Amino acid sequence: MIFDFFGVLTSNMVEVITWFEDRERIARGTFLRAWADPRGQDLFRRLELGQISQEDWNSGFATLMGVKPDNLLGRYLHDAFPAYPVLRVAREARAAGIRTAVLSNSLGRQPYDPYTGFDLHGTFDVVVLSAEHGVRKPEPAAFRIVLENLDVRATECLFVDDSEENLAAAQKLGFTPVHGLDEDLVARQLRKLLHLPGL
């Protein structure tokens, strides 16, 4: 069972973005407009591949949104809290002998580490962060890295992500896709698929 991180093991990212905009006192939709801008897309891609620093991203993306750059990534992800129901299922699945992994398009770990407090290496068998491998979802190579580390075939795996693009890419490789938008719903769905007892 392979999990995306942001939006699957954390709070829903649409809500995280909304809360960020409200705290910053900027118009709702500002973040997504900057994200959809080709310059914003390029900034995210390069950060996820480890080609630029968080400070570079903070500066560039702040310019697109018209906000201060200071710790912008940390401000943006301030409310990306752990999705406890999904994390609980991951731990129970692992205890039941199911191999588990995280495959994340990462956003760097310095100076702000979005993974702090999640104990990913203690909870999952394998953790693959895009910046550490220079490849990101939905590229097939990203999925192959996690399969090689788990020593399993795609057809043996569930893949949970909040991105339809990533899910479609995974399905083409043979994964069983699970659309992860609501943590309680996803937890129930995974319990059913894995025949884990309900709580």
Side-chain angles (χ1 to χ4, degrees):
M1 184 163 55
I2 302 170
F3 297 85
D4 175 37
F5 181 75
F6 297 105
V8 173
L9 299 180
T10 74
S11 313
N12 180 287
M13 292 308 293
V14 173
E15 295 176 350
V16 169
I17 289 167
T18 297
W19 296 330
F20 160 74
E21 290 171 335
D22 289 350
R23 278 196 316 278
E24 296 282 316
R25 298 183 180 179
I26 57 178
R28 290 188 177 182
T30 298
F31 185 96
L32 290 179
R33 279 193 296 275
W35 177 84
D37 186 297
R39 294 168 294 176
Q41 289 281 298
D42 185 59
L43 283 165
F44 264 101
R45 181 188 62 80
R46 291 165 65 203
L47 180 62
E48 290 169 353
L49 291 173
Q51 295 174 350
I52 61 172
S53 67
Q54 283 185 5
E55 289 92 342
D56 293 332
W57 183 90
N58 289 342
S59 177
F61 213 78
T63 298
L64 293 177
M65 285 198 297
V67 299
K68 295 184 298 183
D70 305 3
N71 190 35
L72 178 58
L73 191 71
R75 285 161 34 217
Y76 152 47
L77 295 174
H78 180 271
D79 293 312
F81 300 119
Y84 290 110
V86 181
L87 287 162
R88 189 177 300 118
V89 170
R91 286 192 295 269
E92 292 173 10
R94 190 181 185 194
I98 298 167
R99 301 273 287 162
T100 62
V102 173
L103 176 58
S104 174
N105 281 356
S106 52
L107 301 177
R109 304 191 78 158
Q110 294 291 336
Y112 175 76
D113 188 349
Y115 304 104
T116 296
F118 281 84
D119 187 26
L120 294 184
H121 289 283
T123 303
F124 297 89
D125 294 295
V126 170
V127 177
V128 174
L129 306 180
S130 61
E132 295 176 0
H133 296 271
V135 64
R136 63 196 279 273
K137 297 174 293 182
E139 296 170 31
F143 295 98
R144 293 192 186 107
I145 290 169
V146 75
L147 290 174
E148 289 168 6
N149 278 273
L150 285 171
D151 193 25
V152 296
R153 297 186 299 273
T155 52
E156 300 175 279
C157 296
L158 298 177
F159 176 68
V160 191
D161 204 300
D162 62 342
S163 161
E164 293 184 4
E165 181 182 19
N166 293 338
L167 290 169
Q171 189 168 24
K172 285 181 182 178
L173 295 172
F175 291 85
T176 297
V178 178
H179 199 185
L181 292 177
D182 178 277
E183 59 193 66
D184 292 313
L185 180 61
V186 169
R188 288 195 298 270
Q189 188 175 1
L190 291 175
R191 286 184 185 283
K192 183 176 180 180
L193 288 167
L194 297 170
H195 307 291
L196 293 173
L199 295 179

